[in-house]
Amino acid sequence: MDKDKIKKVLLLGSGALKIGQAGEFDYSGAQALKALKEEGIHSVLINPNIATVQTSKGVADTVYFQPVKAEFVERVIEKERPDGILLSFGGQTALNCGVELYEKGVLEKYGIEVLGTPVQAIIDTEDRDLFVKRLDEIGVKTIKSEACSTVEEVQKAAHELGFPVILRAAYALGGLGSGFCDNEEELLAQAEEAFSFSPQVLVEKSLKGWKEIEYEVVRDKYDNCITVCNMENFDPLGIHTGESIVVAPSQTLTNSEYHKLRALAIKIIRHIGIVGECNVQYALDPNSEDYRVIEVNARLSRSSALASKATGYPLAFVAAKLGLGYGLFDLKNSVTKTTSAFFEPALDYVVVKIPRWDLTKFQGVKRQLGSSMKSVGEVMAIGRTFEEALQKGLRMIGQGMHGFVENHAIKIPDIEKSLHEPTDMRIFVVSKALKIGYTIEQIHQLTMIDRWFLQKLKHIVDIDQQLKGYTHLSEISEFMEPSEFKEYLQSPEVALLLRAAKVYGFSDFQIARAIGLENRMKMEQAGLTIRKWRKMLGLVPTVNQIDTLAAEYPAQTNYLYLSYL
């Protein structure tokens, strides 16, 4: 259908309050509705969640607070008679609903065109057998797996593949029903749970310990492709992406690995025929360039929202426009309004996403992290260094922490077990291990976290230890004259240490606690004292803007962040 003939579009929204939908996909849906409004197209939204931006007054032209389920959507279609439908902006719930409408013939009955990625391409990525066959056609490696419909088939597949294996419930949200199995007993228990979520269960050979890498790829109907952002999980394969710290851009890939996976992502999106945006997830062997494609999400995902904000590239907005028939070369950069959207952003900063959990609110809950998602939210932090971004993020996750170091005493009875069996406190277990003398190699062997990340964490601990050697600062500041003390602060060793602490993400309070100021004054006053010292040194943050192309257009504000580097 010609884009000029599209007058009314139905958008399947982000769904009810539940892990795997809700606010996680509100951003993408709101961006899509913004794109439709800009085109003068009447938008119809189905979303039962009132606590979202997309259901706010003025975002969509018509809103139905109905479940994103086929029977309800069909009734809305019958009344509204839209020209087209957008399926990929509401997460897995919307995608499943769209496939069901297609298979029941509802879309054909009312003459509705699926905008963007064709439904068959969605089915090709969702059905594991079809997915493997499609990627085999172009020689792309996938994880060896079997699709099963009964417990007997699961047992047979597991014995053929050999333990350990991972079970995944097909078409499920947030890794529900999935888990690793090392023996027959665990297999039967996990199979029962997986079948409660889906009629099809995937049995896959475990690649636990491999790196997990993601690429966000965009393609238009003219076969133009760009990779907007690539990301790397702090944790190795075996922990759901939603449970792991994610770093953008990737930090530990070689140039060869980066370009190999980028080329594969473009090859995959072209072969499957996706129009708009998709997310390609890889498992990468840390000891070679061997890889496996874990999955391809033919939709906007949680990672897409992160990538959009990390790069300043409005993925969902662009994907909606491409679904209406535009080419990448037709679209303008949303910030500059002059440069093209047909470009790959370059990042001169580091973005870290950290999940947050509410597990302490529940009695008897298992705190171990795995392939099934338990986190209920996430924070994003931006800095010039990995250490800075990580420490900023850890202060925001709602666990009462001040950063990677200088937190209240955390009681961990068995450090080795806690490193080997990750929980929601894993990052702080690593901090404790480094402080009591565990080496980077020891922690790597227990966690399989890449040594590069561990070296950066050790760097934070080292700066903390250096600060602890300056406890006399809090004493001499009281009897020295202000001018004399300022001169002392400006001595190279003190000034450089304080600057290093700020560059690598230490808050004023963290520094105050490290040098013992907290013992001499109230908590708030201790932080303010360090702030005063910083100002004596002229050590203040700069405001940086994401998307450097926007620098010439100060009125067009984009995402901003503070940094000391």
Side-chain angles (χ1 to χ4, degrees), residues 29-100:
Q31 287 281 309
L33 291 167
K34 181 182 171 187
L36 294 176
K37 188 177 282 291
E38 189 173 279
E39 291 298 313
I41 294 170
H42 185 95
S43 57
V44 180
L45 171 69
I46 299 178
N47 189 348
N49 186 0
I50 59 169
T52 55
V53 172
Q54 62 188 248
T55 53
S56 301
K57 186 177 180 181
V59 179
D61 295 307
T62 307
V63 181
Y64 286 87
F65 292 104
Q66 299 293 337
V68 185
K69 291 184 175 291
E71 58 267 33
F72 293 97
V73 176
E74 184 176 357
R75 290 171 66 184
V76 172
I77 288 172
E78 187 180 2
K79 183 185 176 191
E80 293 288 342
R81 299 298 173 104
D83 303 308
I85 185 170
L86 290 169
L87 306 177
S88 57
F89 297 87
Q92 194 67 49
T93 303
L95 217 56
N96 291 352
C97 180
V99 171
E100 190 178 342

Side-chain angles (χ1 to χ4, degrees), residues 186-479:
E186 291 178 6
L187 182 78
L188 292 172
Q190 193 63 54
E192 185 180 344
E193 184 184 349
F195 278 120
S196 70
F197 291 107
S198 171
Q200 187 188 65
V201 172
L202 312 171
V203 184
E204 299 175 351
K205 184 67 181 169
S206 170
L207 296 177
K208 214 170 186 178
W210 286 33
K211 293 181 185 181
E212 190 165 349
I213 312 291
E214 297 181 52
Y215 279 74
E216 298 293 328
V217 197
V218 174
R219 176 179 176 268
D220 65 20
K221 69 176 186 179
Y222 304 104
D223 207 26
N224 296 307
C225 298
I226 57 171
T227 56
V228 171
C229 184
N230 93 306
M231 290 163 274
E232 174 177 13
N233 283 20
F234 173 85
D235 296 293
L237 200 69
I239 295 176
H240 192 283
T241 305
E243 303 283 85
S244 177
I245 294 171
V246 176
V247 187
S250 58
Q251 301 294 306
T252 72
L253 297 190
T254 64
N255 194 47
S256 172
E257 287 169 339
Y258 171 82
H259 285 287
K260 178 179 180 176
L261 297 182
R262 178 186 176 276
L264 283 167
I266 290 173
K267 189 176 182 180
I268 290 165
I269 193 175
R270 281 180 166 152
H271 184 67
I272 291 174
I274 288 164
V275 175
E277 196 269 354
C278 91
N279 164 265
V280 183
Q281 295 179 18
Y282 297 99
L284 180 69
D285 183 357
N287 302 311
S288 72
E289 287 193 1
D290 195 14
Y291 73 92
R292 298 290 184 276
V293 174
I294 301 170
E295 65 179 0
V296 173
N297 287 314
R299 58 175 171 83
L300 278 294
S301 63
R302 268 185 310 276
S303 304
S304 309
L306 171 64
S308 294
K309 294 172 183 178
T311 61
Y313 192 101
L315 276 168
F317 183 86
V318 169
K321 292 275 187 155
L322 298 181
L324 295 173
Y326 284 95
L328 278 165
F329 48 83
D330 293 320
L331 305 176
K332 298 296 181 188
N333 180 310
S334 296
V335 177
T336 64
K337 306 293 184 187
T338 55
T339 51
S340 169
F342 195 3
F343 77 100
E344 296 187 354
L347 279 63
D348 60 351
Y349 48 89
V350 178
V351 179
V352 172
K353 180 221 81 176
I354 306 177
R356 64 180 304 271
W357 297 267
D358 281 335
L359 301 182
T360 50
K361 292 181 179 178
F362 304 99
Q363 292 293 323
V365 69
K366 288 184 179 178
R367 301 186 75 143
Q368 275 73 32
L369 304 182
S371 57
S372 183
M373 192 171 149
K374 294 177 183 175
S375 65
V376 293
E378 54 197 28
V379 301
M380 184 181 86
I382 310 170
R384 288 289 190 183
T385 64
F386 170 73
E387 296 96 319
E388 180 193 1
L390 181 79
Q391 293 222 81
K392 281 180 179 177
L394 292 176
R395 286 195 278 275
M396 295 189 287
I397 57 175
Q399 289 182 315
M401 302 300 179
H402 299 287
F404 185 65
V405 292
E406 296 302 338
N407 299 307
H408 294 299
I410 303 167
K411 293 178 182 176
I412 303 160
D414 189 337
I415 294 274
E416 196 159 313
K417 183 183 178 186
S418 297
L419 287 171
H420 186 61
E421 298 174 7
T423 68
D424 55 321
M425 297 296 288
R426 176 178 230 192
I427 189 73
F428 302 111
V429 175
V430 173
S431 174
K432 183 98 171 180
L434 286 168
K435 279 191 275 189
I436 64 174
Y438 274 69
T439 65
I440 286 172
E441 191 57 37
Q442 283 174 314
I443 298 172
H444 170 71
Q445 292 302 327
L446 288 165
T447 63
M448 295 308 292
I449 295 170
D450 193 277
R451 294 176 184 87
W452 187 90
F453 290 123
L454 295 175
Q455 285 164 357
K456 296 297 179 184
L457 297 180
K458 178 71 165 55
H459 185 210
I460 297 173
V461 172
D462 290 344
I463 291 173
D464 189 48
Q465 289 302 313
Q466 289 178 53
L467 286 168
K468 288 184 186 300
Y470 283 81
T471 52
H472 63 283
L473 275 176
S474 57
E475 297 168 10
I476 64 173
S477 65
E478 292 181 6
F479 63 80

